[in-house]
Amino acid sequence: MKLKHFTFLILLFCFFFSCQKNEKSKATIQQDLLIDLSKLNNEIVQFQKLVNNNSPQKEIVEQFKKSRLVYKKVEWAIEYFVPETARFMNGPALDEMELEENRSFEPHGFQVMEEMIYPEYNSESKEDLIRELNIFQANIKQLKSTFEVITVSDDYVLDAVQQNVFRVIALGITGFDSPILQSSIPEAGESLISIPESLSKINSNNKSLAELKNLTEKAQKYCTANNNFNAFNRAVFISEYLNPISKKLKAFQKEENIKNVKKNSPLKPTIETLFDKDAFDVNAFVLSKEYNFTKEKAILGEKLFYDKSLSKNNDRSCATCHNPEKAFTDGLKTNVSLTGINLPRNTPTLTYTSLQNAQFWDMRQLDLEKQSVDVIQNKDEMHGSMENIHAKIQLDKEYIDLFKKAYPGNSKPEAWQIQNAIASYVRSLNSFDSRFDEFMRGKKNALNNEEIEGMNLFMGKAKCATCHFTPLFNGTVPPSYSKTEHEVIGTPNEPSGKSISPDKGRYIYNQMPQLVGAFKTPTVRNAAVTAPYMHNGVFKTLEEVVSFYNKGGGIGLGYEVENQTLPFDKLNLTVKEEQALVAFMKTLTDKKYQ
């Protein structure tokens, strides 16, 4: 009995010690975050002194860079745990809009300050800069209060760190948050340092931790040695540094038996890298679980997609305008209405549309179910009736059998299931098997030197990836991929560029001045086979598209586009660089269309 009692005490002591160790590690992570925030605050205080003392622009710019480097070290936690504050610390210098309430909020943070201090800085900017710095300090104070009380558990730490790697890939090295100073490369290296430091608090003796530390140190050295933004080789950095870091993080998770964080995210928790073939989950964008994708639903949806009886005159199906041979576009500038009149907008591809939370060029519908109904019932497109279609289907034995397989819990087809089945078919159109995908999964000869140069231009000098985010190459914002963006680029009305498109885009449905001429950012995947381009089909070739952007969009062409979100400075791409950029975009074509 004494031996059993002694053994019990030993076990109790071990359990108590284990709990104490775990609580200590959690607290240590929080303590580190609070220390890092204090360091950031110190840099902001120094920043304020320089501004108040009317220091030279060079000193102010250097202090700005230093401050953001310190921010980058703690960004992984701020973005993950307090994203609403992060938006106003290092978010885009564009108004934050709440369309439901028809109101907007002016931007704050580093990117706003960056525009104030560079390329010019004068006394007129001083007062605004001081105001921004005061707001920034208030946000730091709020973050400290938050990190003092929240629980920072191991699973959340690992998830946040992994998301930060994805952030570096999709945003950090593209210039997304340093569009003017282009200091993204050293900042990307700095943001990786927190990985081994944070994970060491979970288990400093983990066998993968030393390898992670080695990888992150090498990655930072690569950034230091190759800190020229335009010349930086992103293809090498992602494939040889970031993807291995991502895989090693997954190994660390398995070794420590850390569970995945349960959340409704398009990124599956099981992935090793951002470029895994099955990395994205289309069910993250559905209305509810009963709308989830299944193969049976997609089979039913495919039949409905090609069924002309869905239109009023039984002469037009979804496939009439979304031809599968053209990656579900029609090859026309704009399609023709049922009455023979040209429709106002180009037919976009349906491939990868399921990986965004807004449909149509003007983003008027949030999901594919509503999108299909909108088209079917539109008097200019199909002029069908969902009520009549539902009635027809209930008299068709083949359809009834397919509905029973797709929705086994229902005795007869329901109206919502028609929409859901068509949407499910569209959700099946994501292949992720282009030559670019093969390259990112380790097949080094999948891309040639010109295409790799084009990739580096796309994610760097040409600034394409600051709107068409890797690896979806659409406007769904990483690393949470929960919001799809629009852009105002000043698209011309005709190829000559003599006048701007009169189409007001999102403004038609949400009449806010920022939305005049705003259109959804479409995917560049399969762009090689989905010409013509832009919301009005104005450009016939990718070369014309690149030339337009190279000139600075609408403002570059001489239009007055006060709300243009596209940088209006010339990109200064050479003819060779334009060709490389087009060559890269062609590598984003799915195998079935090659």
Side-chain angles (χ1 to χ4, degrees), residues 508-547:
I508 296 170
Y509 296 93
N510 299 94
Q511 296 189 1
M512 301 171 68
Q514 301 96 323
L515 297 177
V516 175
F519 295 93
K520 183 181 69 178
T521 305
T523 185
V524 184
R525 283 181 175 271
N526 294 318
V529 293
T530 57
Y533 307 101
M534 305 304 190
H535 71 271
N536 55 357
V538 67
F539 297 132
K540 294 180 180 179
T541 67
L542 287 172
E543 285 79 6
E544 288 179 307
V545 174
V546 171
S547 176

mmCIF file of all heavy atoms in Angstrom, residues 508-547:
data_model
loop_
_atom_site.group_PDB
_atom_site.id
_atom_site.type_symbol
_atom_site.label_atom_id
_atom_site.label_comp_id
_atom_site.label_asym_id
_atom_site.label_seq_id
_atom_site.Cartn_x
_atom_site.Cartn_y
_atom_site.Cartn_z
ATOM 1 N N ILE A 508 -23.452 50.591 -59.000
ATOM 2 C CA ILE A 508 -24.857 50.421 -59.407
ATOM 3 C C ILE A 508 -25.695 49.882 -58.244
ATOM 4 O O ILE A 508 -26.851 50.257 -58.063
ATOM 5 C CB ILE A 508 -24.958 49.471 -60.627
ATOM 6 C CG1 ILE A 508 -24.249 50.104 -61.838
ATOM 7 C CG2 ILE A 508 -26.402 49.149 -60.962
ATOM 8 C CD1 ILE A 508 -24.081 49.162 -63.014
ATOM 9 N N TYR A 509 -25.095 49.026 -57.421
ATOM 10 C CA TYR A 509 -25.820 48.393 -56.312
ATOM 11 C C TYR A 509 -25.469 48.979 -54.957
ATOM 12 O O TYR A 509 -26.246 48.856 -54.009
ATOM 13 C CB TYR A 509 -25.552 46.885 -56.314
ATOM 14 C CG TYR A 509 -26.086 46.210 -57.557
ATOM 15 C CD1 TYR A 509 -25.272 46.014 -58.672
ATOM 16 C CD2 TYR A 509 -27.410 45.807 -57.632
ATOM 17 C CE1 TYR A 509 -25.767 45.410 -59.825
ATOM 18 C CE2 TYR A 509 -27.914 45.213 -58.780
ATOM 19 C CZ TYR A 509 -27.088 45.024 -59.873
ATOM 20 O OH TYR A 509 -27.592 44.444 -61.021
ATOM 21 N N ASN A 510 -24.286 49.579 -54.839
ATOM 22 C CA ASN A 510 -23.865 50.222 -53.589
ATOM 23 C C ASN A 510 -23.315 51.599 -53.938
ATOM 24 O O ASN A 510 -22.151 51.722 -54.329
ATOM 25 C CB ASN A 510 -22.794 49.397 -52.870
ATOM 26 C CG ASN A 510 -23.286 48.021 -52.481
ATOM 27 O OD1 ASN A 510 -23.103 47.071 -53.210
ATOM 28 N ND2 ASN A 510 -23.915 47.922 -51.325
ATOM 29 N N GLN A 511 -24.157 52.608 -53.808
ATOM 30 C CA GLN A 511 -23.776 53.919 -54.329
ATOM 31 C C GLN A 511 -22.887 54.708 -53.370
ATOM 32 O O GLN A 511 -23.288 55.686 -52.744
ATOM 33 C CB GLN A 511 -25.032 54.691 -54.719
ATOM 34 C CG GLN A 511 -25.759 53.999 -55.860
ATOM 35 C CD GLN A 511 -26.895 54.798 -56.449
ATOM 36 O OE1 GLN A 511 -27.165 55.908 -56.033
ATOM 37 N NE2 GLN A 511 -27.563 54.231 -57.438
ATOM 38 N N MET A 512 -21.634 54.255 -53.320
ATOM 39 C CA MET A 512 -20.578 54.920 -52.573
ATOM 40 C C MET A 512 -19.536 55.386 -53.591
ATOM 41 O O MET A 512 -19.208 54.636 -54.520
ATOM 42 C CB MET A 512 -19.962 53.967 -51.549
ATOM 43 C CG MET A 512 -20.978 53.430 -50.550
ATOM 44 S SD MET A 512 -20.322 52.104 -49.504
ATOM 45 C CE MET A 512 -19.111 53.000 -48.518
ATOM 46 N N PRO A 513 -19.007 56.576 -53.454
ATOM 47 C CA PRO A 513 -18.083 57.118 -54.461
ATOM 48 C C PRO A 513 -16.853 56.240 -54.715
ATOM 49 O O PRO A 513 -16.319 56.226 -55.823
ATOM 50 C CB PRO A 513 -17.689 58.479 -53.896
ATOM 51 C CG PRO A 513 -18.058 58.448 -52.442
ATOM 52 C CD PRO A 513 -19.234 57.538 -52.355
ATOM 53 N N GLN A 514 -16.432 55.492 -53.685
ATOM 54 C CA GLN A 514 -15.260 54.624 -53.847
ATOM 55 C C GLN A 514 -15.521 53.475 -54.819
ATOM 56 O O GLN A 514 -14.575 52.849 -55.314
ATOM 57 C CB GLN A 514 -14.833 54.030 -52.496
ATOM 58 C CG GLN A 514 -14.470 55.062 -51.438
ATOM 59 C CD GLN A 514 -15.637 55.360 -50.519
ATOM 60 O OE1 GLN A 514 -16.800 55.396 -50.954
ATOM 61 N NE2 GLN A 514 -15.358 55.572 -49.241
ATOM 62 N N LEU A 515 -16.812 53.197 -55.088
ATOM 63 C CA LEU A 515 -17.161 52.022 -55.889
ATOM 64 C C LEU A 515 -17.483 52.330 -57.349
ATOM 65 O O LEU A 515 -17.847 51.427 -58.099
ATOM 66 C CB LEU A 515 -18.350 51.299 -55.248
ATOM 67 C CG LEU A 515 -18.117 50.725 -53.844
ATOM 68 C CD1 LEU A 515 -19.395 50.101 -53.314
ATOM 69 C CD2 LEU A 515 -16.983 49.717 -53.846
ATOM 70 N N VAL A 516 -17.347 53.569 -57.753
ATOM 71 C CA VAL A 516 -17.581 53.905 -59.159
ATOM 72 C C VAL A 516 -16.512 53.225 -60.016
ATOM 73 O O VAL A 516 -15.313 53.437 -59.828
ATOM 74 C CB VAL A 516 -17.542 55.430 -59.392
ATOM 75 C CG1 VAL A 516 -17.670 55.736 -60.892
ATOM 76 C CG2 VAL A 516 -18.648 56.120 -58.620
ATOM 77 N N GLY A 517 -16.941 52.371 -60.931
ATOM 78 C CA GLY A 517 -15.996 51.664 -61.791
ATOM 79 C C GLY A 517 -15.254 50.531 -61.105
ATOM 80 O O GLY A 517 -14.222 50.062 -61.594
ATOM 81 N N ALA A 518 -15.778 50.058 -59.971
ATOM 82 C CA ALA A 518 -15.136 48.953 -59.238
ATOM 83 C C ALA A 518 -15.676 47.622 -59.740
ATOM 84 O O ALA A 518 -16.885 47.434 -59.863
ATOM 85 C CB ALA A 518 -15.393 49.089 -57.740
ATOM 86 N N PHE A 519 -14.761 46.690 -60.012
ATOM 87 C CA PHE A 519 -15.140 45.358 -60.474
ATOM 88 C C PHE A 519 -14.346 44.304 -59.717
ATOM 89 O O PHE A 519 -13.219 44.545 -59.280
ATOM 90 C CB PHE A 519 -14.890 45.218 -61.985
ATOM 91 C CG PHE A 519 -15.739 46.112 -62.829
ATOM 92 C CD1 PHE A 519 -15.278 47.357 -63.223
ATOM 93 C CD2 PHE A 519 -17.020 45.727 -63.203
ATOM 94 C CE1 PHE A 519 -16.069 48.208 -63.984
ATOM 95 C CE2 PHE A 519 -17.821 46.566 -63.971
ATOM 96 C CZ PHE A 519 -17.338 47.812 -64.362
ATOM 97 N N LYS A 520 -14.954 43.140 -59.589
ATOM 98 C CA LYS A 520 -14.301 42.011 -58.919
ATOM 99 C C LYS A 520 -12.978 41.669 -59.599
ATOM 100 O O LYS A 520 -12.872 41.712 -60.831
ATOM 101 C CB LYS A 520 -15.230 40.793 -58.944
ATOM 102 C CG LYS A 520 -14.686 39.570 -58.211
ATOM 103 C CD LYS A 520 -15.657 38.414 -58.306
ATOM 104 C CE LYS A 520 -15.751 37.876 -59.722
ATOM 105 N NZ LYS A 520 -16.658 36.713 -59.791
ATOM 106 N N THR A 521 -11.991 41.305 -58.797
ATOM 107 C CA THR A 521 -10.709 40.860 -59.334
ATOM 108 C C THR A 521 -10.846 39.392 -59.736
ATOM 109 O O THR A 521 -10.965 38.524 -58.877
ATOM 110 C CB THR A 521 -9.590 41.014 -58.296
ATOM 111 O OG1 THR A 521 -9.555 42.372 -57.845
ATOM 112 C CG2 THR A 521 -8.243 40.637 -58.888
ATOM 113 N N PRO A 522 -10.835 39.088 -61.029
ATOM 114 C CA PRO A 522 -11.027 37.699 -61.475
ATOM 115 C C PRO A 522 -9.739 36.894 -61.362
ATOM 116 O O PRO A 522 -8.658 37.449 -61.168
ATOM 117 C CB PRO A 522 -11.438 37.865 -62.936
ATOM 118 C CG PRO A 522 -10.680 39.079 -63.373
ATOM 119 C CD PRO A 522 -10.640 39.996 -62.174
ATOM 120 N N THR A 523 -9.847 35.591 -61.515
ATOM 121 C CA THR A 523 -8.655 34.754 -61.503
ATOM 122 C C THR A 523 -7.889 34.891 -62.815
ATOM 123 O O THR A 523 -8.476 35.118 -63.874
ATOM 124 C CB THR A 523 -9.009 33.271 -61.265
ATOM 125 O OG1 THR A 523 -7.790 32.522 -61.136
ATOM 126 C CG2 THR A 523 -9.838 32.689 -62.403
ATOM 127 N N VAL A 524 -6.568 34.761 -62.718
ATOM 128 C CA VAL A 524 -5.721 34.752 -63.915
ATOM 129 C C VAL A 524 -5.497 33.310 -64.370
ATOM 130 O O VAL A 524 -4.969 33.063 -65.444
ATOM 131 C CB VAL A 524 -4.372 35.455 -63.638
ATOM 132 C CG1 VAL A 524 -3.518 35.553 -64.901
ATOM 133 C CG2 VAL A 524 -4.612 36.865 -63.113
ATOM 134 N N ARG A 525 -5.921 32.358 -63.553
ATOM 135 C CA ARG A 525 -5.828 30.963 -63.968
ATOM 136 C C ARG A 525 -6.677 30.759 -65.230
ATOM 137 O O ARG A 525 -7.800 31.251 -65.315
ATOM 138 C CB ARG A 525 -6.298 30.023 -62.850
ATOM 139 C CG ARG A 525 -5.268 29.847 -61.735
ATOM 140 C CD ARG A 525 -5.749 28.895 -60.666
ATOM 141 N NE ARG A 525 -4.720 28.636 -59.660
ATOM 142 C CZ ARG A 525 -3.810 27.670 -59.729
ATOM 143 N NH1 ARG A 525 -3.807 26.852 -60.768
ATOM 144 N NH2 ARG A 525 -2.917 27.507 -58.779
ATOM 145 N N ASN A 526 -6.112 30.051 -66.172
ATOM 146 C CA ASN A 526 -6.747 29.761 -67.471
ATOM 147 C C ASN A 526 -6.935 31.008 -68.333
ATOM 148 O O ASN A 526 -7.677 30.981 -69.326
ATOM 149 C CB ASN A 526 -8.089 29.040 -67.292
ATOM 150 C CG ASN A 526 -7.910 27.658 -66.691
ATOM 151 O OD1 ASN A 526 -6.995 26.927 -67.062
ATOM 152 N ND2 ASN A 526 -8.767 27.317 -65.744
ATOM 153 N N ALA A 527 -6.242 32.101 -67.991
ATOM 154 C CA ALA A 527 -6.378 33.342 -68.763
ATOM 155 C C ALA A 527 -5.961 33.155 -70.222
ATOM 156 O O ALA A 527 -6.496 33.820 -71.113
ATOM 157 C CB ALA A 527 -5.548 34.451 -68.123
ATOM 158 N N ALA A 528 -5.034 32.252 -70.473
ATOM 159 C CA ALA A 528 -4.554 32.042 -71.845
ATOM 160 C C ALA A 528 -5.656 31.552 -72.777
ATOM 161 O O ALA A 528 -5.558 31.717 -73.997
ATOM 162 C CB ALA A 528 -3.390 31.047 -71.846
ATOM 163 N N VAL A 529 -6.719 30.948 -72.222
ATOM 164 C CA VAL A 529 -7.791 30.404 -73.068
ATOM 165 C C VAL A 529 -9.133 31.074 -72.809
ATOM 166 O O VAL A 529 -10.174 30.565 -73.223
ATOM 167 C CB VAL A 529 -7.928 28.875 -72.877
ATOM 168 C CG1 VAL A 529 -6.691 28.162 -73.399
ATOM 169 C CG2 VAL A 529 -8.156 28.516 -71.399
ATOM 170 N N THR A 530 -9.122 32.233 -72.113
ATOM 171 C CA THR A 530 -10.395 32.881 -71.788
ATOM 172 C C THR A 530 -10.497 34.299 -72.356
ATOM 173 O O THR A 530 -11.211 35.138 -71.816
ATOM 174 C CB THR A 530 -10.621 32.914 -70.262
ATOM 175 O OG1 THR A 530 -9.518 33.591 -69.639
ATOM 176 C CG2 THR A 530 -10.749 31.519 -69.702
ATOM 177 N N ALA A 531 -9.782 34.582 -73.433
ATOM 178 C CA ALA A 531 -9.881 35.899 -74.077
ATOM 179 C C ALA A 531 -11.285 36.086 -74.643
ATOM 180 O O ALA A 531 -11.962 35.106 -74.960
ATOM 181 C CB ALA A 531 -8.838 35.999 -75.192
ATOM 182 N N PRO A 532 -11.740 37.342 -74.828
ATOM 183 C CA PRO A 532 -11.070 38.604 -74.499
ATOM 184 C C PRO A 532 -11.186 38.953 -73.021
ATOM 185 O O PRO A 532 -11.855 38.241 -72.266
ATOM 186 C CB PRO A 532 -11.804 39.616 -75.386
ATOM 187 C CG PRO A 532 -13.174 39.044 -75.534
ATOM 188 C CD PRO A 532 -12.999 37.556 -75.554
ATOM 189 N N TYR A 533 -10.563 40.083 -72.633
ATOM 190 C CA TYR A 533 -10.362 40.372 -71.207
ATOM 191 C C TYR A 533 -11.013 41.672 -70.745
ATOM 192 O O TYR A 533 -11.364 42.514 -71.549
ATOM 193 C CB TYR A 533 -8.859 40.412 -70.918
ATOM 194 C CG TYR A 533 -8.148 39.170 -71.404
ATOM 195 C CD1 TYR A 533 -7.418 39.177 -72.599
ATOM 196 C CD2 TYR A 533 -8.245 37.973 -70.698
ATOM 197 C CE1 TYR A 533 -6.790 38.024 -73.056
ATOM 198 C CE2 TYR A 533 -7.626 36.813 -71.150
ATOM 199 C CZ TYR A 533 -6.901 36.845 -72.337
ATOM 200 O OH TYR A 533 -6.292 35.707 -72.785
ATOM 201 N N MET A 534 -11.130 41.790 -69.453
ATOM 202 C CA MET A 534 -11.737 42.903 -68.718
ATOM 203 C C MET A 534 -13.269 42.737 -68.708
ATOM 204 O O MET A 534 -13.816 41.932 -69.441
ATOM 205 C CB MET A 534 -11.352 44.279 -69.274
ATOM 206 C CG MET A 534 -9.845 44.493 -69.344
ATOM 207 S SD MET A 534 -9.056 44.265 -67.725
ATOM 208 C CE MET A 534 -7.411 44.855 -68.063
ATOM 209 N N HIS A 535 -13.920 43.516 -67.880
ATOM 210 C CA HIS A 535 -15.373 43.368 -67.697
ATOM 211 C C HIS A 535 -16.145 43.619 -68.987
ATOM 212 O O HIS A 535 -17.255 43.115 -69.154
ATOM 213 C CB HIS A 535 -15.875 44.327 -66.609
ATOM 214 C CG HIS A 535 -15.859 45.771 -67.010
ATOM 215 N ND1 HIS A 535 -14.759 46.578 -66.812
ATOM 216 C CD2 HIS A 535 -16.802 46.544 -67.615
ATOM 217 C CE1 HIS A 535 -15.029 47.793 -67.275
ATOM 218 N NE2 HIS A 535 -16.260 47.807 -67.756
ATOM 219 N N ASN A 536 -15.520 44.382 -69.904
ATOM 220 C CA ASN A 536 -16.202 44.692 -71.165
ATOM 221 C C ASN A 536 -15.550 44.032 -72.380
ATOM 222 O O ASN A 536 -15.897 44.347 -73.515
ATOM 223 C CB ASN A 536 -16.246 46.214 -71.371
ATOM 224 C CG ASN A 536 -14.856 46.855 -71.307
ATOM 225 O OD1 ASN A 536 -13.864 46.170 -71.064
ATOM 226 N ND2 ASN A 536 -14.792 48.153 -71.518
ATOM 227 N N GLY A 537 -14.604 43.118 -72.122
ATOM 228 C CA GLY A 537 -13.959 42.407 -73.219
ATOM 229 C C GLY A 537 -13.172 43.309 -74.158
ATOM 230 O O GLY A 537 -13.000 42.980 -75.337
ATOM 231 N N VAL A 538 -12.658 44.415 -73.636
ATOM 232 C CA VAL A 538 -12.027 45.418 -74.497
ATOM 233 C C VAL A 538 -10.683 44.971 -75.079
ATOM 234 O O VAL A 538 -10.308 45.396 -76.172
ATOM 235 C CB VAL A 538 -11.856 46.757 -73.728
ATOM 236 C CG1 VAL A 538 -10.848 46.619 -72.592
ATOM 237 C CG2 VAL A 538 -11.465 47.892 -74.672
ATOM 238 N N PHE A 539 -9.964 44.094 -74.369
ATOM 239 C CA PHE A 539 -8.650 43.658 -74.840
ATOM 240 C C PHE A 539 -8.720 42.228 -75.384
ATOM 241 O O PHE A 539 -9.217 41.331 -74.707
ATOM 242 C CB PHE A 539 -7.615 43.734 -73.722
ATOM 243 C CG PHE A 539 -7.376 45.134 -73.220
ATOM 244 C CD1 PHE A 539 -7.377 45.409 -71.859
ATOM 245 C CD2 PHE A 539 -7.150 46.178 -74.105
ATOM 246 C CE1 PHE A 539 -7.154 46.691 -71.385
ATOM 247 C CE2 PHE A 539 -6.928 47.473 -73.649
ATOM 248 C CZ PHE A 539 -6.935 47.728 -72.291
ATOM 249 N N LYS A 540 -8.166 42.027 -76.575
ATOM 250 C CA LYS A 540 -8.217 40.718 -77.220
ATOM 251 C C LYS A 540 -7.084 39.794 -76.788
ATOM 252 O O LYS A 540 -7.211 38.577 -76.893
ATOM 253 C CB LYS A 540 -8.172 40.892 -78.748
ATOM 254 C CG LYS A 540 -9.394 41.586 -79.335
ATOM 255 C CD LYS A 540 -9.262 41.721 -80.846
ATOM 256 C CE LYS A 540 -10.476 42.407 -81.442
ATOM 257 N NZ LYS A 540 -10.361 42.567 -82.918
ATOM 258 N N THR A 541 -5.976 40.360 -76.349
ATOM 259 C CA THR A 541 -4.809 39.541 -76.021
ATOM 260 C C THR A 541 -4.250 39.887 -74.638
ATOM 261 O O THR A 541 -4.480 40.994 -74.117
ATOM 262 C CB THR A 541 -3.686 39.749 -77.052
ATOM 263 O OG1 THR A 541 -3.187 41.101 -76.931
ATOM 264 C CG2 THR A 541 -4.191 39.505 -78.469
ATOM 265 N N LEU A 542 -3.498 38.942 -74.074
ATOM 266 C CA LEU A 542 -2.828 39.191 -72.798
ATOM 267 C C LEU A 542 -1.770 40.278 -72.952
ATOM 268 O O LEU A 542 -1.494 41.026 -72.000
ATOM 269 C CB LEU A 542 -2.187 37.901 -72.279
ATOM 270 C CG LEU A 542 -3.149 36.847 -71.727
ATOM 271 C CD1 LEU A 542 -2.415 35.547 -71.438
ATOM 272 C CD2 LEU A 542 -3.845 37.359 -70.458
ATOM 273 N N GLU A 543 -1.177 40.370 -74.143
ATOM 274 C CA GLU A 543 -0.184 41.413 -74.399
ATOM 275 C C GLU A 543 -0.804 42.800 -74.243
ATOM 276 O O GLU A 543 -0.182 43.713 -73.675
ATOM 277 C CB GLU A 543 0.400 41.252 -75.802
ATOM 278 C CG GLU A 543 1.388 40.111 -75.954
ATOM 279 C CD GLU A 543 0.723 38.736 -76.080
ATOM 280 O OE1 GLU A 543 -0.531 38.684 -76.164
ATOM 281 O OE2 GLU A 543 1.446 37.717 -76.090
ATOM 282 N N GLU A 544 -2.041 42.959 -74.714
ATOM 283 C CA GLU A 544 -2.735 44.246 -74.574
ATOM 284 C C GLU A 544 -3.029 44.545 -73.103
ATOM 285 O O GLU A 544 -2.922 45.700 -72.658
ATOM 286 C CB GLU A 544 -4.044 44.220 -75.368
ATOM 287 C CG GLU A 544 -3.882 44.261 -76.866
ATOM 288 C CD GLU A 544 -5.222 44.202 -77.600
ATOM 289 O OE1 GLU A 544 -6.012 43.276 -77.318
ATOM 290 O OE2 GLU A 544 -5.465 45.076 -78.447
ATOM 291 N N VAL A 545 -3.395 43.521 -72.355
ATOM 292 C CA VAL A 545 -3.683 43.691 -70.924
ATOM 293 C C VAL A 545 -2.433 44.163 -70.194
ATOM 294 O O VAL A 545 -2.472 45.133 -69.410
ATOM 295 C CB VAL A 545 -4.191 42.369 -70.309
ATOM 296 C CG1 VAL A 545 -4.341 42.524 -68.794
ATOM 297 C CG2 VAL A 545 -5.511 41.955 -70.926
ATOM 298 N N VAL A 546 -1.313 43.488 -70.449
ATOM 299 C CA VAL A 546 -0.055 43.845 -69.789
ATOM 300 C C VAL A 546 0.361 45.268 -70.152
ATOM 301 O O VAL A 546 0.816 46.043 -69.300
ATOM 302 C CB VAL A 546 1.059 42.836 -70.158
ATOM 303 C CG1 VAL A 546 2.423 43.325 -69.669
ATOM 304 C CG2 VAL A 546 0.743 41.463 -69.565
ATOM 305 N N SER A 547 0.182 45.627 -71.407
ATOM 306 C CA SER A 547 0.529 46.984 -71.852
ATOM 307 C C SER A 547 -0.292 48.034 -71.112
ATOM 308 O O SER A 547 0.232 49.086 -70.713
ATOM 309 C CB SER A 547 0.299 47.100 -73.364
ATOM 310 O OG SER A 547 0.543 48.420 -73.809
#
